[in-house]
Amino acid sequence: MVLSIASSKNFSEEKAHKFYITLECMLEFEKEEEKEKVLALMRRFSSATRYAYKRLLEGVAEKDIEKAIQEKHKLNARYVKNAVLIAKQVLKSCIRRGQNPKKLVFGSRELFEKLKKKHLTGKRREKLRQRWEERRYYYLYSRGEKSKNGNLNLRFVNMNNQWSLRINLGNGEYVWAEVVRNAKRHKDKWIDFTWRLLEAEKSGEWFAYNVRLKVRNGKFYAQVSWEEKTVQPVITKAYGVMGIDINAYPFHLALAYVSTDGNLEKFERIDLREMEGKTKNQREHIAWHIARQVVERALENGKAIVVEDLQKVPKGRRGDGLAKLRRKLHKWAYRSVLEKIEVYARRLGIQLIKVNPAYTSIIGKLKYSPMLGIDKDVAGAYVIARRGLGFEEKLPKNYRELLKDKEFLAYAIAKVDEQINKLKSELKKETNEYKKNALRERVKRLRKYLELLLSYTRDSGKSEPATQEPVTPTPATPRKMERVRGPTHVRQKSWRVLSVALAVLLATPCLEWCRDHSPLKRVLISGDWARVAGKGSPSLPGQGTAASNCSFIHFG
């Protein structure tokens, strides 16, 4: 597991109801001895953080940890509390990600492993060691306090029209470092920050700002974070919404403008291929530009914004034979773009709604793509927008009838089994190991689809068990028992089954890469699935061996 204290993002600011702006500036010291004093302080603070982390793993109480740190590392009370705070946040972050906290490496595991191998020598190795030591040993953090003029230990002060950072060494001594940062444009947030500091000095109404110091390539940097003033939403979903769907292939944003009654008004796309092949900083800059475009379009159309509440998106794994796709997915900055859209929307008073992303793409491509003649990405954005307005997506009548059609399900099962056998034949002939891995992955996915169809066929016609119904509270059972699998679960499984079965109708390779869903319009309107299937199907049920052998389908 890799975690760098110096590069970890907003440890103390991770609160769902607060939003922070973070800026960075460079620091310059007048005397070399002052720089050495600050480096010594940073080493003690970093050591205190690692010490606190280990004691937390051992279950030691926070008060006991703070007392031990003060005795061992000679830091003032506020630095001690901040060190424990960071250690707690790191531990929570590990647990939340499902990683082993005992295997954490402060600094960078990647750099640490490279140093262990000793494959570099001379200047290159020395530079690598310097990078690792800077990230592990040189870090200092001070949490802001409104009652202490913004920040007691690390405070920005204006002296003769020059900003400086006053660093409290913890022993009654202070060091002053000159702040080197010029506003890059007239809307630069650094102007807002310094103006607020000057106003606070005049009025005495201070605001809290957090400061973290770090060393990079031998230079000192300070990162300052403060809570952003939020604007009450003026544009809400009462005026309609704009749904946003981010797609990795092709790499673009799909925008769907939807009225309050749930009807699609218009749609458009924003190309994201500009982000490909760029450095991390370049991608960040482009992401801000794209986010601003999106929010400005929402503002022009008077629409609230609806996005998916994405937590984690699978990006493949090494050895799956899909190296090119993995590279694209690893550069897919979906979360970065959505976070920036949220920031801009909040600043301009536009309501941003996050919805459950489950089955939005499936519903879009099966229901609205053929019905409205739009591609599956726009259809997905349309479903997201409707979900933000509170609409529930029901299965169309002919789709419901289709799921009751045993002949249709038998045909779908036979076709999936046919694809599995075809891929297994290709796998035997293939000699390239990477291509073999790709074929194995496709077979694995098809087997899951086959099991889904078979389980649905077995369960069709069966009623829900009585224990799954709500139980009326009694003195013996005062708490109401909820459904284990209610209508929502059944509806979601139906959409999944339809996704696989209708992909078979379209003769889609591996049931995944089809973008043209217009043939499904016939199925939606008339329920005529046999005619659609006849286009790319060698044999319909009853015309060949596929249906007759469906009861002998195997997985081996």
Side-chain angles (χ1 to χ4, degrees), residues 339-350:
E339 285 175 352
K340 290 168 177 56
I341 289 173
E342 184 176 0
V343 170
Y344 271 122
R346 192 171 57 251
R347 290 177 185 173
L348 296 180
I350 299 175

Side-chain angles (χ1 to χ4, degrees), residues 377-399:
D377 301 328
V378 172
Y382 181 37
V383 174
I384 291 169
R386 284 175 55 86
R387 191 168 286 183
L389 289 169
F391 289 96
E392 290 188 8
E393 303 297 346
K394 296 180 180 179
L395 283 166
K397 179 182 176 182
N398 283 325
Y399 279 172

Side-chain angles (χ1 to χ4, degrees), residues 23 93 394:
L23 298 175
S93 179
K394 296 180 180 179

Side-chain angles (χ1 to χ4, degrees), residues 174-232:
Y174 295 91
V175 169
W176 300 80
E178 183 178 324
V179 174
V180 180
R181 192 190 195 283
N182 296 320
K184 299 176 181 178
R185 57 190 183 280
H186 70 282
K187 291 185 178 180
D188 195 329
K189 289 296 178 181
W190 181 255
I191 299 174
D192 294 342
F193 174 65
T194 54
W195 179 82
R196 288 186 67 185
L197 286 178
L198 292 173
E199 288 296 308
E201 189 174 351
K202 294 176 184 177
S203 63
E205 296 180 3
W206 293 91
F207 64 98
Y209 55 88
N210 308 315
V211 182
R212 52 178 61 79
L213 264 59
K214 60 181 182 179
V215 179
R216 190 167 65 240
N217 297 326
K219 297 180 180 179
F220 286 77
Y221 294 88
Q223 291 180 339
V224 55
S225 303
W226 70 96
E227 187 179 353
E228 183 181 11
K229 291 183 178 179
T230 56
V231 179
Q232 282 293 89

Side-chain angles (χ1 to χ4, degrees), residues 151-410:
N151 197 305
L152 185 63
N153 282 335
L154 301 175
R155 179 182 297 170
F156 284 92
V157 180
N158 185 271
M159 302 173 65
N160 301 322
N161 294 324
Q162 170 61 49
W163 287 101
S164 299
L165 182 68
R166 192 194 71 177
I167 303 170
N168 186 354
L169 298 180
N171 56 0
E173 186 180 354
Y174 295 91
V175 169
W176 300 80
E178 183 178 324
V179 174
V180 180
R181 192 190 195 283
N182 296 320
K184 299 176 181 178
R185 57 190 183 280
H186 70 282
K187 291 185 178 180
D188 195 329
K189 289 296 178 181
W190 181 255
I191 299 174
D192 294 342
F193 174 65
T194 54
W195 179 82
R196 288 186 67 185
L197 286 178
L198 292 173
E199 288 296 308
E201 189 174 351
K202 294 176 184 177
S203 63
E205 296 180 3
W206 293 91
F207 64 98
Y209 55 88
N210 308 315
V211 182
R212 52 178 61 79
L213 264 59
K214 60 181 182 179
V215 179
R216 190 167 65 240
N217 297 326
K219 297 180 180 179
F220 286 77
Y221 294 88
Q223 291 180 339
V224 55
S225 303
W226 70 96
E227 187 179 353
E228 183 181 11
K229 291 183 178 179
T230 56
V231 179
Q232 282 293 89
V234 177
I235 299 175
T236 66
K237 66 178 182 179
Y239 303 97
V241 298
M242 179 179 74
I244 302 175
D245 189 20
I246 301 185
N247 304 278
Y249 187 81
F251 195 22
H252 72 288
L253 283 178
L255 311 179
Y257 299 85
V258 181
S259 58
T260 53
D261 58 5
N263 288 318
L264 180 65
E265 295 178 342
K266 63 177 182 177
F267 59 88
E268 58 183 323
R269 302 172 187 84
I270 297 179
D271 197 345
L272 300 180
R273 285 177 295 178
E274 185 184 359
M275 299 178 73
E276 295 180 350
K278 299 292 192 299
T279 65
K280 182 179 179 181
N281 289 336
Q282 288 173 329
R283 289 200 302 271
E284 281 289 297
H285 176 74
I286 296 170
W288 278 114
H289 179 66
I290 291 168
R292 188 174 64 209
Q293 286 185 57
V294 171
V295 176
E296 285 177 353
R297 293 181 190 190
L299 186 63
E300 290 170 4
N301 290 273
K303 303 289 187 186
I305 298 174
V306 184
V307 298
E308 293 176 301
D309 189 11
L310 294 171
Q311 300 299 324
K312 187 176 181 180
V313 174
K315 296 189 176 183
R317 58 180 177 81
R318 193 184 181 104
D320 61 6
L322 303 172
K324 289 184 179 179
L325 180 60
R326 285 204 315 275
R327 282 196 294 270
K328 281 183 174 290
L329 291 175
H330 277 283
K331 293 180 181 180
W332 185 31
Y334 68 92
R335 185 171 295 174
S336 175
V337 174
L338 292 182
E339 285 175 352
K340 290 168 177 56
I341 289 173
E342 184 176 0
V343 170
Y344 271 122
R346 192 171 57 251
R347 290 177 185 173
L348 296 180
I350 299 175
Q351 182 184 15
L352 186 134
I353 304 165
K354 293 183 179 181
V355 299
N356 186 347
Y359 302 100
T360 52
S361 297
I362 290 176
I363 295 170
K365 71 183 181 182
L366 299 186
K367 185 176 180 180
Y368 294 111
S369 182
M371 184 186 297
L372 301 177
I374 55 180
D375 66 45
K376 69 180 187 68
D377 301 328
V378 172
Y382 181 37
V383 174
I384 291 169
R386 284 175 55 86
R387 191 168 286 183
L389 289 169
F391 289 96
E392 290 188 8
E393 303 297 346
K394 296 180 180 179
L395 283 166
K397 179 182 176 182
N398 283 325
Y399 279 172
R400 292 199 303 270
E401 295 299 322
L402 207 59
L403 290 175
K404 297 177 185 177
D405 190 333
K406 294 182 180 179
E407 187 180 15
F408 169 69
L409 293 176

